[in-house]
Amino acid sequence: MHRVLALTGFIALLLCPPVHAGDAPFTGASNWGGTGLMEIPTARVMPENHWRIGVGQVDPSRTYFGVISPLSGLEIDGRVTEILDTSEEVEQGDFEGYGNDKDKSVDFKYRLVSEGKYRPAVALGIMDPSGTRLLASQYVVASKQVFPFDFTVGMGNGRFGDRPLEASGKGVEVELFSDPKQWWDDARVFAGIEFAPSEKFALMVEYAPIDYHKMSLYDVGGKETHFDEPVPSKVNYGMRLRPLDWAEIDLSWQR
């Protein structure tokens, strides 16, 4: 197994004015674009009518994303995930000239409950619900601010659960609704904390229960950069910088 030392390079452009209320300053982007810590989502969402674009890289993958919040409490995330150093395996037949192996997906997150004085914010997320579903999951997550800390705990199946979800043969599939017992049996807990002493700087730590070695997304050509056994650690650490009101840079140590 190649031991993945992920010093993550991450840049997001926040195409919106600075936010000073509600979920702020805990509305940063995850590795894959949706509001979250690194690999895990939080119950935070961008303000209505805001959007972001960016790119995140955690070996062996790079993700290009765009996220929009068209309604209050709703985020829609579109992304392309590229598996690095796999061009030799996919440049053949109909895929000649395609470059590295890639996967497209769309995610949705909706805030079911707004945060109160004693009540956490609660959100429901649906990740990659159709097609190959290589990154599919459905999760429920809660976040609570005790400023300058933001605490998150959630449960999810698929990507975050005991086993990857199968490809969809009938359009959109959401086991959380169609088979809640299966969702509950497969779901695992994830959690994290973000510490933001200022709007320009934050520290993060998370527990991400993802079994990368079970995900066919990374099973391309048997490259040593891919996972053939569990990763050394499921605890990730990160630092979030906002040098400008419209820009964010994250650096992290993952897996």
Side-chain angles (χ1 to χ4, degrees):
M1 180 193 75
H2 180 77
R3 190 179 179 90
V4 178
L5 185 158
L7 178 61
T8 308
F10 176 91
I11 299 175
L13 303 182
L14 310 175
L15 303 183
C16 56
V19 182
H20 299 288
D23 290 341
F26 304 109
T27 53
S30 62
N31 296 339
W32 37 273
T35 299
L37 297 180
M38 288 158 282
E39 285 291 272
I40 72 168
T42 65
R44 307 301 173 193
V45 294
M46 292 190 302
E48 182 180 3
N49 295 325
H50 288 58
W51 55 300
R52 71 164 69 98
I53 58 174
V55 58
Q57 180 167 322
V58 185
D59 288 342
S61 63
R62 180 184 297 140
T63 303
Y64 308 90
F65 58 79
V67 187
I68 188 169
S69 181
L71 302 171
S72 178
L74 174 66
E75 267 189 14
I76 303 173
D77 168 23
R79 54 193 164 117
V80 175
T81 302
E82 177 182 6
I83 307 304
L84 303 175
D85 300 321
T86 57
S87 59
E88 293 180 4
E89 284 72 30
V90 298
E91 287 187 356
Q92 53 187 322
D94 293 338
F95 293 96
E96 186 173 356
Y98 182 75
N100 288 325
D101 193 41
K102 302 177 184 70
D103 180 69
K104 296 179 291 184
S105 55
V106 177
D107 309 327
F108 304 87
K109 178 163 66 172
Y110 183 69
R111 185 175 56 213
L112 301 172
V113 178
S114 298
E115 185 172 9
K117 184 176 181 180
Y118 303 107
R119 180 185 65 236
V122 179
L124 168 69
I126 299 172
M127 301 176 70
D128 197 11
S130 64
T132 59
R133 299 211 303 170
L134 298 180
L135 295 168
S137 178
Q138 301 110 48
Y139 62 84
V140 178
V141 61
S143 296
K144 185 73 181 79
Q145 283 193 39
V146 182
F147 199 81
F149 295 92
D150 193 43
F151 299 89
T152 290
V153 62
M155 289 185 68
N157 69 341
R159 177 172 171 80
F160 301 112
D162 284 340
R163 60 185 177 87
L165 298 176
E166 296 179 357
S168 172
K170 49 183 178 182
V172 173
E173 291 193 54
V174 182
E175 286 80 359
L176 179 60
F177 302 137
S178 64
D179 192 352
K181 182 180 184 302
Q182 181 272 335
W183 180 89
W184 179 259
D185 289 342
D186 285 351
R188 290 181 180 174
V189 173
F190 56 82
I193 303 172
E194 184 171 355
F195 169 59
S198 82
E199 293 188 354
K200 298 293 186 181
F201 172 74
L203 297 174
M204 303 174 286
V205 60
E206 68 176 14
Y207 171 76
I210 302 170
D211 286 332
Y212 298 92
H213 64 292
K214 295 181 180 179
M215 297 175 62
S216 59
L217 174 70
Y218 302 105
D219 185 16
V220 183
K223 289 276 189 176
E224 66 171 8
T225 51
H226 304 148
F227 308 97
D228 53 13
E229 59 184 82
V231 295
S233 175
K234 294 184 178 181
V235 179
N236 302 324
Y237 306 90
M239 176 173 60
R240 179 165 282 162
L241 304 173
R242 295 186 177 93
L244 301 169
D245 289 340
W246 51 267
E248 177 184 309
I249 301 171
D250 289 4
L251 297 174
S252 63
W253 177 278
Q254 299 187 37
R255 304 170 189 157

